[in-house]
Amino acid sequence: MAKIRVLIVDDSALMRQVLSSILSSDPGIEVVGTAPDPLVAREKIKALNPDVMTLDVEMPGMDGIAFLEKVMTLRPMPVVMVSSLTEKGAEVTVRAMELGAVDVFCKPADAASGGFTAHGPELIEKVKAAAASRVRALVNHGRRPATALSVTQIYKSTDRLVAIGSSTGGVEALRDIILALPPDAPPIVVAQHIPPRFSTSFAERLDGLAAVRVKEAADGERILAGHVYIAPGDRHLMVKRSGAALMTRTHDGPLVSGHKPSVDVLFQSVADICGSNAVGVILTGMGRDGAEGLLSMRQAGAETIGQDESSCVVYGMPKAAKDLGGVARELALPRIADEILRLCRA
C-alpha cells in the first residue's frame, strides 16, 4: 500500500522536527514537507499534494483558522489540528473542527522536553484515521430556521429523551444537528470523544449559536426539554431517575470501549432508565464504541438511528452498530434532526 503523505504546518522549528520524527517512525507514513506558516503551506499543498495536513492551532501573527477555511473550501483535505491544552487553544480548535478538521492532537505539557515520546502512537493513529476519512468542501453552516413547535403539546407530554454518540467528525455533525433544533426540542444527552477542556469550549460555542440551551453536563442536573447536555471530555455521562425526573450522572472511572466518555456507557444507562421512551443516534466515528449500547436501546424499545456511510467522515461506529443490529434506520446527516423531532412527536 502507498504511504500516507503528510505535510506538517507549525511555526516552531522544534515542533516541526519532533512531529516529523514521530510520524516518519511509522513505515506507513511519509512526511513529504513542512511549513512554518500558511503562506508556505499553501504553496506546498499545491506542489506536494499531501494526503493529510497537521496544522498548529496557535501560530502568532497569522490566522490559521482563515487558512483552514480556505483549504476546506477550495482544496478539501484531511486535517489534524495540533493544539495545546489552553483555553484559547481549545476555542480555536473547536472552531477548526466545525470547519471540517478531522481530529485534534493535544501537545503534552512537557512537549519541549521530550514528552511527545509517549504520545507518538496516538498522533500516528490520528493521522492514519484522517487519511481514511471522507472530507468535503466547506458549505454554509448558517442555522436554518427552527420549526415552531409547542413544547407543551408535543414534547413534555411524551417524556422522550434523545441520546447521541459520536467521535471523529462528530463536532461538525453535532453542530449541524443541534443548530437545526427548535428551542422547545426534546432533551438531548451527548457523548462525544473529545479532550476535557475542549468539551467545555464546544458546549459554550454551540450555546451561543443554537436555539436550544447547550451546556457541559454536571453531576446531578435535572434533564429539561430545550437543553442539550454534553459529556465532559474526561468523565462518563449517564442518565438516572429521581422520582419522575430524569437526572444526569457524571463520574470518573476506567475507559469503556476504549473511551471516556463512552457512548456505550451513556446508551446503556438510557436503555435501562428510559426504555421505549428514548431515541438513540450514533454518528460518525472510528471504532465501535456505542454499538452494544445502541443495540441495548433498540432491544428496550427505543427508536434508533445511524448516520449513513455517504455522510460520515469515518463510517466506523455507525457501521459497527448496524452490523450488530442496533440501527433501525440509516439516514444522511441533513435528515437526522428532522427525524429526531418526528420520532419525538410520535
Side-chain angles (χ1 to χ4, degrees):
M1 294 179 62
K3 290 187 176 184
I4 299 167
R5 296 163 50 82
V6 180
L7 173 66
I8 295 170
V9 185
D10 198 299
D11 69 301
S12 164
L14 175 60
M15 283 298 103
R16 294 197 299 272
Q17 181 181 358
V18 170
L19 294 172
S20 295
S21 176
I22 290 172
L23 293 175
S24 297
S25 69
D26 188 283
I29 296 175
E30 178 185 5
V31 177
V32 295
T34 65
D37 59 59
L39 293 177
V40 175
R42 183 179 61 184
E43 297 306 315
K44 292 206 172 184
I45 289 172
K46 294 177 183 177
L48 301 172
N49 193 31
D51 300 312
V52 178
M53 177 171 65
T54 70
L55 180 61
D56 185 20
V57 169
E58 298 176 278
M59 292 187 289
M62 60 196 67
D63 190 346
I65 291 298
F67 170 62
L68 177 66
E69 190 166 5
K70 288 183 178 180
V71 168
M72 300 310 294
T73 302
L74 302 174
R75 201 283 194 191
M77 63 184 300
V79 177
V80 175
M81 305 304 296
V82 179
S83 173
S84 57
L85 281 172
T86 64
E87 184 173 348
K88 178 183 177 184
E91 292 173 357
V92 176
T93 303
V94 167
R95 174 62 179 147
M97 295 176 77
E98 289 176 355
L99 290 172
V102 174
D103 210 336
V104 54
F105 173 75
C106 297
K107 294 179 183 177
D110 54 349
S113 59
F116 263 113
T117 304
H119 298 271
E122 178 189 353
L123 175 60
I124 290 169
E125 181 184 7
K126 288 179 181 291
V127 166
K128 287 184 173 180
S133 67
R134 300 177 183 85
V135 294
R136 299 168 184 80
L138 184 65
V139 295
N140 178 24
H141 281 285
R143 186 178 75 226
R144 63 185 173 89
T147 307
L149 298 170
S150 167
V151 66
T152 301
Q153 295 177 359
I154 296 175
Y155 296 127
K156 285 188 176 177
S157 63
T158 65
D159 194 31
R160 288 270 180 148
L161 178 70
V162 180
I164 302 178
S166 52
S167 185
T168 310
V171 167
E172 186 180 9
L174 285 167
R175 183 184 192 276
D176 287 354
I177 291 172
I178 291 171
L179 266 60
L181 298 173
D184 56 359
I188 298 177
V189 286
V190 176
Q192 159 72 36
H193 300 159
I194 194 170
R197 192 181 295 269
F198 294 76
S199 56
T200 305
S201 294
F202 180 44
E204 290 174 350
R205 177 163 176 78
L206 283 180
D207 189 52
L209 297 171
V212 290
R213 176 87 167 87
V214 185
K215 67 187 306 294
E216 186 179 61
D219 189 51
E221 288 185 282
R222 183 172 181 178
I223 296 174
L224 302 171
H227 287 62
V228 177
Y229 304 86
I230 296 177
D234 58 350
R235 298 181 71 80
H236 293 301
L237 173 62
M238 301 175 67
V239 172
K240 63 181 181 179
R241 191 175 289 278
S242 177
L246 293 176
M247 310 289 290
T248 60
R249 183 190 172 211
T250 64
H251 68 96
D252 200 358
L255 302 180
V256 176
S257 302
H259 297 280
K260 184 170 61 174
S262 165
V263 181
D264 273 326
V265 168
L266 176 62
F267 282 178
Q268 186 62 58
S269 73
V270 173
D272 293 342
I273 298 299
C274 300
S276 61
N277 245 358
V279 175
V281 183
I282 193 158
L283 302 176
T284 173
M286 184 173 64
R288 55 180 299 107
D289 185 27
E292 294 184 4
L294 194 68
L295 177 61
S296 293
M297 287 187 66
R298 189 177 186 189
Q299 290 173 336
E303 301 282 359
T304 59
I305 301 169
Q307 186 177 349
D308 74 354
E309 183 175 5
S310 66
S311 65
C312 279
V313 172
V314 178
Y315 185 56
M317 286 165 43
K319 182 180 187 301
K322 179 183 178 182
D323 291 347
L324 198 61
V327 174
R329 70 200 74 191
E330 278 196 322
L331 294 172
L333 179 62
R335 296 181 55 197
I336 291 178
D338 286 338
E339 183 68 5
I340 288 171
L341 297 177
R342 187 189 73 79
L343 290 172
C344 290
R345 289 196 299 267

